Amino acid sequence: MQNLNAFKELISTPKKVVITTHFKPDADALGSSLGLARYLKKKGHTVDVITPSDYPKFIAWMDGNEDVINFENNKTRQKAIKLIAEADLIFCLDFSALSRINDMEAVVRNAPGVKVMIDHHLYPENFSQFSLHDTNASSTCELIYKLITELLGDKALMDIPTGECLYAGMMTDTGSFRHPSTTPAVHRMAAEIMEIGVNTNKIHRRIYDSTSFDRLKFLGYVLSEKLTVLPEFRVAYFVVTDEELKRFNSQTGDTEGIVNYGLQIENIVMSVIIVDRPEAIKMSFRSVEEFAVNEIASKYFSGGGHKCSRG
């Protein structure tokens, strides 16, 4: 982080803090937000976590989840707008461009509070006064862990609830520690979190073994009926319609991870899922080896993301 000393000085006295993350948060987005929130509360700050939308039930067990404000909820939107406008500090986690927070973009962009961006995605927008940005990091949770324990020297404040949040993000963004982004440093962080007393097996089960019956039927349908393989191009893809989502009572997060199944096929180097939702058509790309799908997303779909993944 540039200007680390100035940042330390800034957070040395109690502040009104808002933490936000990208639209449709995943485990890394929510875990980094709630992990940082718990730490800052211990330091005496008043902290509110505001998400641009809802998120999957399988990550809603994290400490502090009950206090998260959903900007899409009409009952709490005005409260969220007021908190953002009055915040001394606004942390923007797991996204590098304000467009990723959808309807919150203008509210955050125009807010007078100091903005801090902590992220690991490519092509960061220059909207923050402070940033901790590392595209080599496995996850934003890894960066939050490093911020708390190394840069701020507060490893003693790392407790089990905070560790659970950060481990969830590290685990999911590394594909259960199997992606190339899984460095020795990530394993050391995971080991230190386990030494605190975090039950990592329980976290894995909460995220991966808590699916609904409808979602399991939906997955079976997509794999058997919606998977197309183009062996000559070494590509696999899925196309899921809005009608199919409704047929299986699909909830937020139900399509997450399906794109990875295409890469399990021998000789396939790129997998794509295209989901037709009422608000927009969503495309997610995954690749292996040296095939850079972020270039395709950037050139043709105004996307970006990591070299081997883009959603």
Side-chain angles (χ1 to χ4, degrees), residues 1-12 129-130:
M1 175 180 283
Q2 294 180 339
N3 304 319
L4 179 60
N5 289 333
F7 177 72
K8 287 181 177 179
E9 179 66 24
L10 181 65
I11 64 170
S12 64
Q129 287 74 49
F130 295 92

Side-chain angles (χ1 to χ4, degrees), residues 131-143:
S131 67
L132 178 57
H133 182 259
D134 184 0
T135 57
N136 292 317
S138 68
S139 59
T140 299
C141 281
E142 175 186 339
L143 293 175

Side-chain angles (χ1 to χ4, degrees), residues 21-250:
T21 187
H22 60 74
F23 188 76
K24 296 296 182 182
D26 55 11
D28 190 33
L30 188 66
S32 59
S33 298
L34 293 178
L36 178 63
R38 184 174 175 86
Y39 164 74
L40 290 174
K41 287 176 182 178
K42 285 187 174 185
K43 299 291 285 186
H45 302 282
T46 301
V47 186
D48 290 284
V49 176
I50 303 173
T51 58
S53 65
D54 64 348
Y55 45 83
K57 290 182 180 180
F58 58 75
I59 58 174
W61 51 266
M62 296 183 191
D63 181 79
N65 167 77
E66 64 279 2
D67 297 320
V68 173
I69 299 171
N70 177 1
F71 193 81
E72 284 188 326
N73 188 331
N74 291 329
K75 294 180 180 179
T76 55
R77 177 174 290 216
Q78 290 306 312
K79 177 183 178 181
I81 292 173
K82 185 173 186 291
L83 288 169
I84 294 169
E86 295 177 351
D88 302 308
L89 268 170
I90 302 173
F91 283 87
C92 300
L93 305 187
D94 204 36
F95 66 92
S96 58
L98 288 176
S99 60
R100 292 295 314 282
I101 56 176
N102 289 34
D103 291 345
M104 285 179 61
E105 177 180 356
V107 181
V108 171
R109 190 181 295 279
N110 296 327
V114 175
K115 298 173 185 69
V116 183
M117 186 261 287
I118 303 177
D119 183 54
H120 64 129
H121 296 91
L122 297 169
Y123 314 124
E125 176 189 349
N126 185 24
F127 66 84
S128 62
Q129 287 74 49
F130 295 92
S131 67
L132 178 57
H133 182 259
D134 184 0
T135 57
N136 292 317
S138 68
S139 59
T140 299
C141 281
E142 175 186 339
L143 293 175
I144 296 297
Y145 186 87
K146 181 177 181 180
L147 175 70
I148 295 172
T149 62
E150 296 180 28
L151 301 183
L152 300 179
D154 278 331
K155 189 174 182 178
L157 295 182
M158 187 64 59
D159 57 15
I160 289 177
T162 307
E164 288 179 336
C165 292
L166 299 184
Y167 183 88
M170 292 182 199
M171 178 188 70
T172 53
D173 258 30
T174 58
S176 297
F177 304 100
R178 72 179 188 272
H179 293 338
S181 59
T182 310
T183 63
V186 174
H187 282 298
R188 283 191 287 269
M189 291 178 190
E192 290 172 2
I193 288 173
M194 293 177 72
E195 288 170 350
I196 296 169
V198 171
N199 184 337
T200 56
N201 176 261
K202 183 171 68 173
I203 294 171
H204 192 279
R205 284 188 286 107
R206 281 172 166 171
I207 291 177
Y208 293 114
D209 299 331
S210 59
T211 191
S212 68
F213 185 44
D214 281 338
R215 200 268 177 178
L216 204 58
K217 290 190 294 182
F218 173 64
L219 175 60
Y221 170 76
V222 170
L223 291 176
S224 64
E225 302 294 333
K226 306 299 294 185
L227 172 61
T228 300
V229 179
L230 304 176
E232 65 274 28
F233 299 112
R234 303 179 70 187
V235 170
Y237 68 90
F238 308 84
V239 178
V240 181
T241 67
D242 183 50
E243 185 278 328
E244 289 166 332
L245 294 175
K246 292 176 180 176
R247 190 195 315 171
F248 290 94
N249 192 31
S250 180

